[in-house]
Amino acid sequence: MPTETDRVRVLVVEDESVLAAVIGDYLRADGYDVAVVGDGAHALEAARSTAPHVVVLDLGLPTVDGIEVCRRLREFSDAYVVMLTARADEAEVLQGLRSGADDYMTKPFRPRELLARVRTLLRRARTPGPLAPPTREVGALTVDLRSREVALDGSPVDLTPTEFDLLACLLENTGTAMTRRALIEALRGENWFGDESLIDVHVLHLRRKLGDDAATQRFVRTVRGIGYQLGDG
């Protein structure tokens, strides 16, 4: 995440030149450093050279589509990814989220709403309070809330920013069954509107990376009819 002296870098990947220009102008007016590219191959090059904090990524791109860009991006970057999709196609949205995206918006959308999403994502980098231990252990799982590092049996676990924030939220509310709405609000803010089942997708990814599953539920337990809570490891 950027320090107080850094300006937040945003990479906009959009092949519709007019829309890309509008998004770039709104983000610059809000104080961000913005780079704009129009295809998937250049997106990956730009991400490596500029190390963005946020990537606004269209799914329908030439050369390399947005799904593949997101997959490759996750190999070297933990930037927040907001994907843009032309259709409210559930399968397409789920595929994008499975590739590592943190949030999505369906075209057409208001640029100010995109700004609000970006601000919300950047506010999610939390550190524990002065009395809270920075490192928490749950069975074989170790979570450092300050460095945002996770280890399982001593081996590092590579989580996306959203997956880490979801795990941190469950840690901060140990013993409490969190509704999907409460988790959405913790990750996205109270004014976020969208499908609450988005949480289920992120839980699926988190469990998979922690070697967990719906049967054992060592670390993330399903509370039927309510949502999720932290397991005991």
Side-chain angles (χ1 to χ4, degrees):
M1 295 304 299
T3 66
E4 291 182 0
T5 58
D6 286 335
R7 291 184 63 178
V8 176
R9 296 182 296 278
V10 181
L11 174 62
V12 177
V13 188
E14 172 59 66
D15 63 327
E16 297 179 36
S17 58
V18 174
L19 177 58
V22 170
I23 293 173
D25 288 345
Y26 268 83
L27 288 165
R28 291 187 187 98
D30 210 45
Y32 302 112
D33 281 339
V34 180
V36 178
V37 296
D39 65 77
H42 287 101
L44 291 167
E45 292 176 8
R48 289 185 183 278
S49 62
T50 66
H53 302 106
V54 180
V55 178
V56 178
L57 176 64
D58 183 34
L59 290 189
L61 293 171
T63 66
V64 182
D65 68 29
I67 299 294
E68 184 61 22
V69 169
C70 196
R71 284 200 192 100
R72 296 188 196 177
L73 184 70
R74 283 292 172 241
E75 295 175 1
F76 62 88
S77 172
D78 65 352
Y80 290 114
V81 177
V82 181
M83 66 179 193
L84 308 178
T85 175
R87 297 177 299 163
D89 186 310
E90 182 178 359
E92 184 179 63
V93 169
L94 289 176
Q95 189 178 13
L97 293 170
R98 290 186 183 119
S99 69
D102 297 284
D103 202 352
Y104 72 94
M105 296 188 69
T106 303
K107 298 178 181 179
F109 58 86
R110 295 182 177 87
R112 290 187 184 280
E113 183 183 353
L114 176 60
L115 281 180
R117 296 287 183 94
V118 170
R119 290 172 187 151
T120 298
L121 288 170
L122 291 168
R123 283 198 301 267
R124 281 162 44 192
R126 296 184 299 274
T127 56
L131 299 180
T135 302
R136 304 279 293 278
E137 294 184 359
V138 181
L141 184 69
T142 302
V143 182
D144 190 320
L145 296 171
R146 292 195 188 278
S147 67
R148 296 174 66 85
E149 295 177 343
V150 178
L152 182 62
D153 289 319
S155 299
V157 180
D158 185 21
L159 300 183
T160 68
T162 290
E163 291 159 1
F164 181 90
D165 290 341
L166 174 59
L167 178 59
C169 184
L170 292 171
L171 275 168
E172 291 166 358
N173 294 277
T174 299
T176 300
M178 302 287 288
T179 66
R180 289 173 176 82
R181 186 65 209 174
L183 289 168
I184 280 283
E185 289 182 358
L187 300 183
R188 299 286 193 268
E190 296 181 0
N191 297 322
W192 189 87
F193 293 98
D195 189 349
E196 294 177 8
S197 64
L198 175 66
I199 287 294
D200 299 333
V201 178
H202 291 309
V203 166
L204 176 66
H205 297 167
L206 181 59
R207 280 175 169 163
R208 185 177 299 146
K209 291 183 178 181
L210 297 180
D212 212 352
D213 57 47
T216 57
Q217 299 188 20
R218 294 182 300 160
F219 302 114
V220 183
R221 289 180 176 168
T222 300
V223 182
R224 193 174 300 277
I226 298 177
Y228 300 98
Q229 71 178 128
L230 187 70
D232 58 15

